[in-house]
């Protein structure tokens, strides 16, 4: 009969073989919390109309919700924008009156035409908010300007040559009226209470404390390779580890029971 300590050691070794860390392709991808960092407002982009604008022009004494996506993203970016839109529509605060939103494509090959098409899609969801179009701007730009903005808020991304997609994390970033980073909400769903609180605190210049990071990554299942995409893979690794631990606990319980029965 295996000794209890040996069983625990074996179980721990199996669990360690299924790390919870990121796969190699994602080690340089993330959304780090640069709380209280100043976004460089002198950066220039092109808006959905093709007009060159400085970031400073898009701050009007109100907090700003910043999202970094790319407009031709096949999946996760749309989920981020959908989640952002849902939060906007379900808060008592009004887009373009109480706060503004800026969405920037981090793909330097994307154009104002794509930005305009994306804006049309989302403006259709604000039929009763007259200020929404002025309050939510969709931008694109050259690589140097994009990288500078992304670095200032801790957004790390990379092009994947195999899938021909950008790998990136998901979340939205709240900025004070002066352009300082005040809060992050990770994932693709943003509870209305958290969204409203983040806006209120940002409007007052309050900087949140660092919170735990939960990241989703923009990959998918690749049938040609028979492998899950990275977002699903991370979840499966977590589930696999818990399964191993549960099996280990079951084995330990059975050994203890056998030991008690053998001693009776």
């Amino acid at each position: 009969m295996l000794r209890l300590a040996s069983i625990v050691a074996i179980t721990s070794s199996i669990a360690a073989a299924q790390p919870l860390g990121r796969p190699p392709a994602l080690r340089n991808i993330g959304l780090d919390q640069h709380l209280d960092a100043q976004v460089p407002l002198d950066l220039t982009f092109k808006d959905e109309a093709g007009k060159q604008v400085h970031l400073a022009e898009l701050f009007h004494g109100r907090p700003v919700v910043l999202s970094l996506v790319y407009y031709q993203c096949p999946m996760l970016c749309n989920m981020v924008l959908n989640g952002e839109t849902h939060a906007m529509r379900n808060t008592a605060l009004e887009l373009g009156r109480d706060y503004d939103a800026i969405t920037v494509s981090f793909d330097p090959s994307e154009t104002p035409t794509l930005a305009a098409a994306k804006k049309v899609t989302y403006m259709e969801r604000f039929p009763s908010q007259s200020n929404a179009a002025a309050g939510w701007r969709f931008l694109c730009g050259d690589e140097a300007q994009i990288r500078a903005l992304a670095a200032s808020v801790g957004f790390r991304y990379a092009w994947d040559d195999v899938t021909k997609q950008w790998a990136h994390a998901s979340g939205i970033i709240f900025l004070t009226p002066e352009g300082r980073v005040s809060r992050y909400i990770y994932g693709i769903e943003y509870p209305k209470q958290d969204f409203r609180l983040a806006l209120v605190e940002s409007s007052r210049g309050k900087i949140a404390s660092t919170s735990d990071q939960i990241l989703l990554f923009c990959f998918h299942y690749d049938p040609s390779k028979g492998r899950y995409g990275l977002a699903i893979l991370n979840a499966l690794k977590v589930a696999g580890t818990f399964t191993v631990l549960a099996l280990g606990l079951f084995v330990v319980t059975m050994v203890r029971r056998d030991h008690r029965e053998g001693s009776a």
Side-chain angles (χ1 to χ4, degrees), residues 13-240:
S13 298
I14 296 173
Q18 301 188 48
L20 295 178
R22 303 177 191 175
L26 293 184
R27 286 174 184 165
N28 295 318
I29 308 303
L31 183 52
D32 307 320
Q33 296 199 26
H34 289 186
L35 294 168
D36 206 23
Q38 175 65 54
V39 169
L41 299 180
D42 59 340
L43 295 176
T44 58
F45 296 90
K46 287 186 177 180
D47 67 10
E48 59 276 353
K51 177 185 176 183
Q52 183 168 293
V53 295
H54 285 85
L55 276 185
E57 299 175 46
L58 308 183
F59 283 74
H60 306 289
R62 300 185 287 263
V64 169
V65 185
L66 175 66
S67 50
L68 291 165
V69 303
Y70 69 106
Y71 301 131
Q72 298 181 95
C73 178
M75 51 183 299
L76 188 56
C77 295
N78 291 327
M79 294 180 183
V80 169
L81 294 177
N82 290 344
E84 184 178 354
T85 301
H86 184 266
M88 289 176 175
R89 293 181 60 187
N90 286 277
T91 180
L93 302 176
E94 184 175 327
L95 175 61
R97 184 192 67 185
D98 302 307
Y99 67 96
D100 296 302
I102 300 174
T103 294
V104 180
S105 168
F106 55 79
D107 183 343
S109 70
E110 294 195 324
T111 64
T113 300
L114 291 172
K118 188 65 68 172
K119 180 166 184 172
V120 168
T121 297
Y122 284 95
M123 287 304 99
E124 292 174 351
R125 307 183 189 187
F126 293 90
S128 62
Q129 294 193 28
S130 59
N131 298 311
W136 193 350
R137 307 295 293 275
F138 288 74
L139 311 180
C140 55
D142 64 38
E143 184 171 4
Q145 303 293 297
I146 293 168
R147 292 259 176 212
L149 175 61
S152 72
V153 298
F155 186 84
R156 295 182 286 114
Y157 60 100
W159 176 255
D160 181 72
D161 283 325
V162 176
T163 62
K164 304 302 180 185
Q165 295 179 26
W166 290 95
H168 63 93
S170 63
I172 54 177
I173 304 152
F174 293 82
L175 307 175
T176 69
E178 297 74 35
R180 290 185 298 119
V181 179
S182 62
R183 183 179 288 272
Y184 295 77
I185 302 182
Y186 292 94
I188 57 175
E189 295 182 353
Y190 316 114
K192 63 180 181 181
Q193 298 91 339
D194 296 345
F195 189 86
R196 183 181 184 282
L197 177 62
L199 287 174
V200 170
E201 290 183 342
S202 297
S203 70
R204 298 171 180 170
K206 183 177 179 180
I207 307 301
S209 59
T210 302
S211 62
D212 292 336
Q213 300 189 25
I214 301 175
L215 301 177
L216 294 177
F217 296 96
C218 193
F219 273 74
H220 61 288
Y221 181 76
D222 187 349
S224 66
K225 296 182 179 181
R227 294 191 306 198
Y228 284 100
L230 297 176
I232 302 174
L233 182 59
N234 282 342
L236 290 178
K237 284 185 175 181
V238 173

